[in-house]
């Protein structure tokens, strides 16, 4: 957006983290694009000891810095059906795990589609992720981030947003943006992602929250990410469970097939069980997908 970026750095004494420090970065220093002034406020509820955030008005990035950064940075998009953000188990916990393998992590608190606070609710989440990519690419070198190694990661509906960003980086979600920084991620990581709005495999809640109950065919095609993979899509890592009853595994399979068709490097791990929303820990297996991701990332940048 061409805004000056400012960082409010603080050490949290009340929250345990394996990272050295974390800091909160507003996405927009001044006016938030595509916004409508409203009296509603951000809400946080606790579910099984973890936070679920809704009604995001002011989107932010929270930075988690590893003790020994390896140059790779990942922006994490928590899921929640485009209705809420599972900010702890699909955000903070993941950032801490990434710090352990040397990755600088950012948890994105993005705006959720809402006609009360946005002019175009379908554009809001992608606007925020594209702005987050610009910010990370412009951060000071003291964070030891290699600009060619900045990727995006998403869970469930956050995976849909992530897939949007790696298939639509040539489309500026904010048409008024003047910042020419590329918003193409170096890679994408999709964990039990919503990919398609095809009626046979869609997660209806995500589609309806993003596009409303009666989307046009053009909207459905634009947001069905398996239809938008091309030769310039960045490399992709996918994880899903075969028994996922919320977001069918066919979402990941179709995206993987589209990558192979377009000769995009892609790696997919499908577990027999695990259901939906397991975050870091699929209790049905002793296998740890984060270990697989660490190996994949090492191969990507060797």
């Amino acid at each position: 957006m061409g805004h000056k970026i400012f960082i409010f750095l603080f050490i949290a004494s009340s929250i345990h983290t394996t990272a050295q420090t974390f800091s909160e970065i507003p996405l927009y220093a001044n006016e938030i694009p595509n916004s409508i002034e409203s009296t509603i406020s951000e809400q946080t509820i606790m579910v099984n000891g973890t936070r679920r955030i809704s009604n995001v008005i002011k989107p932010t990035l929270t930075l988690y810095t590893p003790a020994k950064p390896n140059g790779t940075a990942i922006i994490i998009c928590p899921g929640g059906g485009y209705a809420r953000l599972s900010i702890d188990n699909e955000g903070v916990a993941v950032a801490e795990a990434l710090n352990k393998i040397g990755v600088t992590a950012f948890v994105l608190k993005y705006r959720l589609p809402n006609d009360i606070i946005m002019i175009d609710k379908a554009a809001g989440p992608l606007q925020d992720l594209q702005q987050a990519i610009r910010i990370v690419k412009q951060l000071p070198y003291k964070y030891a981030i290699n600009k060619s190694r900045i990727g995006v990661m998403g869970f469930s509906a956050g995976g849909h947003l992530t897939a949007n960003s790696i298939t639509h980086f040539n489309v500026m979600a904010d048409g008024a943006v003047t910042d020419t920084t590329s918003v193409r991620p170096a890679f994408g990581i999709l964990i039990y992602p919503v990919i398609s709005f095809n009626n046979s495999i869609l997660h209806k809640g995500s589609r309806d929250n993003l596009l409303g109950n009666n989307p046009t065919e053009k909207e459905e095609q634009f947001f069905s990410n398996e239809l938008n993979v091309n030769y310039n899509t960045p490399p992709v890592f996918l994880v899903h469970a075969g028994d996922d009853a919320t977001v069918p595994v066919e979402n990941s399979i179709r995206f993987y097939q589209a990558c192979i068709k377009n000769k995009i490097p892609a790696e997919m791990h499908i577990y027999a069980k695990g259901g939906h929303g397991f975050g870091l820990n699929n209790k049905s297996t002793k296998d740890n997908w984060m270990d697989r991701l660490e190996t994949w990332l090492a191969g990507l940048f060797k």
Side-chain angles (χ1 to χ4, degrees), residues 51-289:
R51 293 173 297 157
R52 305 291 172 88
I53 297 177
S54 58
N55 294 344
V56 175
I57 307 298
K58 296 180 179 180
T60 63
L61 276 174
T62 301
L63 160 65
Y64 293 80
T65 57
K68 296 181 179 179
N70 62 17
T72 300
I74 295 176
I75 300 167
I76 305 165
C77 301
Y82 282 125
R84 64 199 65 83
L85 299 179
S86 184
I87 203 76
D88 287 329
N89 70 311
E90 293 177 351
V92 176
V94 179
E96 293 178 348
L98 289 171
N99 279 174
K100 290 179 181 179
I101 62 173
V103 174
T104 302
F106 299 80
V107 178
L108 177 60
K109 185 173 74 172
Y110 57 92
R111 286 174 294 168
L112 298 158
N114 188 329
D115 289 323
I116 297 175
I117 63 171
M118 277 182 275
I119 300 166
D120 179 359
K121 69 177 182 180
L126 186 57
Q127 284 178 331
D128 290 350
L129 180 49
Q130 288 185 343
Q131 176 68 356
I133 294 169
R134 293 186 193 99
I135 287 176
V136 175
K137 288 189 174 182
Q138 295 168 10
L139 280 177
Y141 284 105
K142 68 178 181 178
Y143 294 111
I145 295 171
N146 185 325
K147 290 184 179 181
S148 66
R149 294 170 60 169
I150 298 170
V152 288
M153 177 184 204
F155 296 74
S156 193
H160 183 265
L161 174 55
T162 298
N164 265 323
S165 76
I166 64 176
T167 58
H168 293 107
F169 52 83
N170 287 325
V171 178
M172 292 301 101
D174 179 3
V177 70
T178 58
D179 191 328
T180 58
T181 303
S182 170
V183 293
R184 181 185 185 274
F187 57 88
I189 302 164
L190 308 176
I191 313 299
Y192 42 83
V194 175
I195 290 293
S196 182
F197 285 167
N198 180 288
N199 283 328
S200 64
I201 62 170
L202 64 75
H203 178 249
K204 190 174 185 299
S206 294
R207 186 198 65 181
D208 291 355
N209 286 331
L210 187 66
L211 301 180
N213 295 329
N214 297 294
T216 66
E217 182 177 351
K218 183 177 180 180
E219 287 174 326
E220 287 186 342
Q221 290 181 349
F222 181 88
F223 287 104
S224 289
N225 294 295
E226 80 280 13
L227 303 179
N228 296 288
V229 174
N230 61 42
Y231 70 94
N232 203 25
T233 299
V236 179
F237 180 91
L238 300 109
V239 174
H240 220 121
D243 67 347
D244 191 331
T246 302
V247 178
V249 69
E250 185 72 17
N251 281 266
S252 283
I253 292 171
R254 290 194 189 183
F255 197 83
Y256 175 81
Q257 289 174 328
C259 288
I260 298 306
K261 180 179 178 180
N262 286 276
K263 296 181 169 51
I264 302 304
E267 180 168 315
M268 179 169 60
H269 296 272
I270 298 179
Y271 296 103
K273 296 181 180 180
H276 189 74
F278 50 78
L280 284 173
N281 184 23
N282 182 345
K283 295 180 180 179
S284 75
T285 175
K286 293 182 179 180
D287 189 69
N288 184 346
W289 64 261

Side-chain angles (χ1 to χ4, degrees), residues 5-78:
I5 298 167
F6 59 96
I7 300 175
F8 175 64
L9 178 65
F10 59 94
I11 307 297
S13 59
S14 61
I15 300 178
H16 174 72
T17 174
T18 58
Q20 287 183 311
T21 61
F22 69 89
S23 37
E24 187 174 44
I25 307 169
L27 281 193
Y28 308 100
N30 298 307
E31 183 179 350
I32 299 173
N34 185 30
S35 62
I36 300 172
E37 188 173 347
S38 171
T39 58
I40 69 171
S41 58
E42 183 175 301
Q43 301 293 321
T44 300
I45 63 171
M46 300 298 292
V47 178
N48 298 324
T50 63
R51 293 173 297 157
R52 305 291 172 88
I53 297 177
S54 58
N55 294 344
V56 175
I57 307 298
K58 296 180 179 180
T60 63
L61 276 174
T62 301
L63 160 65
Y64 293 80
T65 57
K68 296 181 179 179
N70 62 17
T72 300
I74 295 176
I75 300 167
I76 305 165
C77 301

